[in-house]
Structures are given as structure tokens and as C-alpha cells.
Amino acid sequence: CHLIHYLRLSHHLIVLNYLICTFDKLKSVSSEDINITDAVFDGVEVRVFEPPAKRDERLKRSVVYIHGGGWALASARTSLYNNLCRIMAESLNAVVVSVEYRLVPEVCFPEQFHDALRATKHFLQPDVLAKYSVDPSRIAISGDSAGGNLAAAVCQQLSKDEHLTIRPKLQALIYPVLQAFDFNTPSYQQNMNMPVLPRYVMINYWIDYFNGNYDLAHSLLINNHTALDVGQALSFRGRLNWTSLLPSSFKKNYKPVIQTTGKAEIIQEIPALLDVRAVPLLAENETLQLQPKTYILTCENDVLRDDGVMYAKRLENAGVEVTLDHFDDCFHGCMIFTIWPTDFSAGVQTRNSYIKWLDENL
């Protein structure tokens, strides 16, 4: 893919996603116990997983799920996410709506956010919930990685929408990516070369999401975009002070990387770096106070560990009930790897813990 990108034969993400989908063809659409259908919610494709109706059953609970993949890869239709959502529907006896938002490079920020928001708001309409026999008071919004980013951003937006009569009861975020302010948090430093998601790959995902220039990657890596002389970043600095938001067991002996002189033109070129729709961790306290009961799963071997831990702390400080579910021996992306030949114990462990929390709280 790097060769293809260099030769400009096609966008490397298009090729990579093609390869992923080519090796991941589903043999069947519906399972024996779950009815799986594709639909369109306000112009956005979704895949709906419905358990069979039972005699004299009350309305079902529901989960809106947003898949990960750096806003650029994977699909609600791939076997990994198809399997996760099917198991969720079976285990919770819940209607699961998996959002098929458009990907980079077809679209860039804020279109992925808009797709996820439109699909979710459409599903929250009383007549749509009635069609799927969903209890309006028992709906969660969830996602992993970049999908966790979108879930958090959508949840924040819904909480501020005065016209909504139905809002999610819960949000459940799986190793979410929540900020592009500081690429030198302890987890970014500790796991900078960790397989699956090294730091430079995460930075490139951000650049692709914002349709930015790869030449900026090194400046972002050393935090030139949020240096002390970058005025646009000043008001956000207190919202992402990991020296006060992280426990000492995570801070270890790592030191903050704060440049005295940086490049303000980076923020001018990519203002989305400070847009809370893209970086939910930078939201103001007034917005965080409106968030529902929250579950955040983090993994030790993950550059994004501290994003989730800091968001949990900020939500807790804002008065939100939060469960931080941390796994010392797991890695980024592990929860979807439960199908042979990538059936890892870490995937089963994290998935079971996540579903258990939903079952007890939704």
C-alpha cells in the first residue's frame, strides 16, 4: 500500500480497504437466531441485527454501534464487526444498529460525524423505534477506536439538542481515540512502536481524517501545533492536562512535551484539530455534565489508553457515573479479534466484559 501511495496509482487507503474486504467475504447474511437486514437511515446505510420476537415480550433494548478503522477502514459488513454485533444482539436480546458511515478518502471530517449523527437521530425517532420494537428509555450508543470517537462526539451533540425527546441512556466507548492535542501522553510515549497502532500510524489517520498534508506529521508528533505560543490552543490546555488527569500508575516517569515555540499555521491550516466534534476530550465541562452513564474500555498496550482514561476522569469530575474497564495485558483493536484465525483470548475477555456491563446497565 505504501508503494501504491508513492506511485500515486490510487489512494493507499482505498487499496487497503479493498484487500480487507476481499479477504473477508461473508458466507451468509443472517444467522439462525438473528435476522440481519440492511437499511438506510436518513441517507446513511446501516445494518440492523434483530433477535426473534418472543411471545408476550416487552420492548427490546438497543445499541447503536459505530465501527472503528481510523475513519478509513473496515465496514459494518465485515465478518469481524458482523460477528460482534450478532453476538451483542444475541447476548443482550437487543436490536443492534451498526452504522455504515462513509470513509476516508471518499469523504473527510466532518462527514463521518454527520453520517453517524444523522443515522442515530433517525433511529431515535419514536416511529422508527416502534417499527423495531425498541424501548425508547433503553438505548446505548457505542463504538470502538475511531467509532468510539464518533460515538462520543455524537453523544455530546445529542445531549445539546433541545429538540430531541429521546436520548441515549448509556454510552460505551472501546479504546476510543479522543484527542489530537497531545501526541506525547504517557501511553503515546510508552507504546509509540506498539504493533497494530504505532504512534505514527495514528497521526497519519488524523491527517487523513482532516484531509491534511503528511508533511505536517513530524510537527504534530512533537506537539508543535499546540506549543505555548499557539494562541488558539491556549483555552484548551487545561482540559487535557494529563499530569492531573492520569493516575500515577499511568504517568510513571514520563514527562510532558510542551514546546515553547511551535507552528500556529498548523491550526490555521487544520482548524479541526481543535474542533470538539473531532476531539471530544476537549469539550467544555458544561457539555460533559450532560453526558449519560458511561463505560470506557482501555488497554495498556495502546497509544490511546490515556485518551480514554482522561475522558473518564473529566466525565467523573463533571458528575457523570463512569466505569473505567482497564486491561493490563490487552492491545488496541483486540475486541474484534474473536474469529479464527485471529481468535485471541484478549478479544474474548474484553468483549465479555463489555457485554456484561451493557447487560447490567442497559
Side-chain angles (χ1 to χ4, degrees), residues 331-353:
F331 56 92
H332 185 81
C334 64
M335 200 176 77
I336 61 172
F337 295 118
T338 59
I339 304 175
W340 187 90
T342 56
D343 48 341
F344 302 137
S345 60
V348 175
Q349 181 185 8
T350 51
R351 186 189 68 193
N352 289 348
S353 188

Side-chain angles (χ1 to χ4, degrees), residues 59-77:
L59 296 176
K60 296 184 184 300
R61 47 193 176 178
S62 183
V63 180
V64 175
Y65 195 85
I66 307 174
H67 72 80
W71 306 283
L73 304 174
S75 164
R77 297 183 175 92

